[in-house]
Amino acid sequence: MTSRHVVVRRIDRAEPAVIDALGTLGAATVHEALGRRGFAGPLLRPIQQGTRLAGSAVTVRCQPGDNLMIHAAVEVCKAGDVLVVTNTAPSSHGMFGELLATSLMARGVRALVIDAGVRDTAELRAMGFAVWSQYVSCEGTVKANAGSVNVPVLLAAQTVHPGDVVCADDDGVVVVPRREAAAALEQARQRVAREEATRARL
């Protein structure tokens, strides 16, 4: 993990059709298809229910209690992305709220995954902006310290590279390495087919 403060504006992404297809299959199925890899842990929970999606990771590394780099990341996001925000040390601050969600939605960003807290949760749910976070917190932040955008980050026990595919639903968050996305999709489809055959027999 680099310690330099950088903002990488261009990243490689998986094929949109592959990403969208993974998003329909569910985190548990994708996790199993990856050989039980990629789960970002039980602490990341959705603030909404019934949402299932996938998108390309735009990664952010922040200082605890400082959301400056989230604002910087908004400018490099594209339609279909998922913003993945991490901190250099544990943080429960409410680093994200309705105004940032409005900016991301205007760019077609599908969701936020953050290892800290969010606020304005009623507004976020009403807007239909999906969030997976460790905390809900009204504790505010500053905008004083540089971090990095689109560098490898550590989300729980998972390393997330820019452009990896993030799959998320009520069961949690799974990270699929970008170069494995097509293979993971094929394996996941085969798993679904096997389960359907078993269900029919039962």
Side-chain angles (χ1 to χ4, degrees):
M1 305 288 176
T2 180
S3 60
R4 294 189 304 119
H5 304 307
V6 298
V7 176
V8 178
R9 302 192 66 84
R10 296 182 180 179
I11 62 173
D12 294 325
R13 294 168 170 84
E15 288 295 324
V18 172
I19 297 170
D20 291 344
L22 284 168
T24 68
L25 293 170
T29 296
V30 174
H31 175 247
E32 293 287 346
L34 280 173
R36 299 182 181 175
R37 293 182 293 127
F39 179 47
L43 298 182
L44 288 169
R45 300 300 305 148
I47 67 165
Q48 68 288 317
Q49 293 294 308
T51 298
R52 175 179 287 180
L53 56 80
S56 295
V58 168
T59 62
V60 187
R61 183 186 299 132
C62 293
Q63 301 292 326
D66 192 315
N67 73 350
L68 175 66
M69 298 314 294
I70 299 178
H71 290 269
V74 169
E75 302 301 320
V76 304
C77 286
K78 294 185 177 181
D81 287 342
V82 171
L83 191 63
V84 177
V85 178
T86 64
N87 286 271
T88 58
S91 172
S92 61
H93 293 79
M95 297 178 66
F96 183 95
E98 176 262 335
L99 288 177
L100 278 168
T102 300
S103 296
L104 290 177
M105 290 184 77
R107 289 164 171 79
V109 174
R110 293 179 173 172
L112 169 77
V113 175
I114 182 168
D115 71 358
V118 296
R119 53 188 175 181
D120 302 335
T121 54
E123 290 86 348
L124 294 175
R125 284 191 289 267
M127 293 166 63
F129 187 75
V131 173
W132 284 259
S133 67
Q134 283 196 12
Y135 306 101
V136 171
S137 172
C138 65
E139 186 177 11
T141 58
V142 298
K143 298 172 180 62
N145 299 292
S148 293
V149 176
N150 280 330
V151 298
V153 297
L154 194 62
L155 180 69
Q158 297 301 317
T159 299
V160 186
H161 292 86
D164 284 351
V165 180
V166 178
C167 302
D169 60 16
D170 290 348
D171 293 333
V173 176
V174 172
V175 179
V176 182
R178 177 178 61 84
R179 288 187 171 89
E180 297 182 41
L185 174 59
E186 179 60 28
Q187 291 295 320
R189 283 173 167 166
Q190 291 177 14
R191 180 177 179 81
V192 169
R194 289 194 300 271
E195 289 180 346
E196 288 176 350
T198 300
R199 190 176 297 112
R201 288 195 305 272
L202 295 174

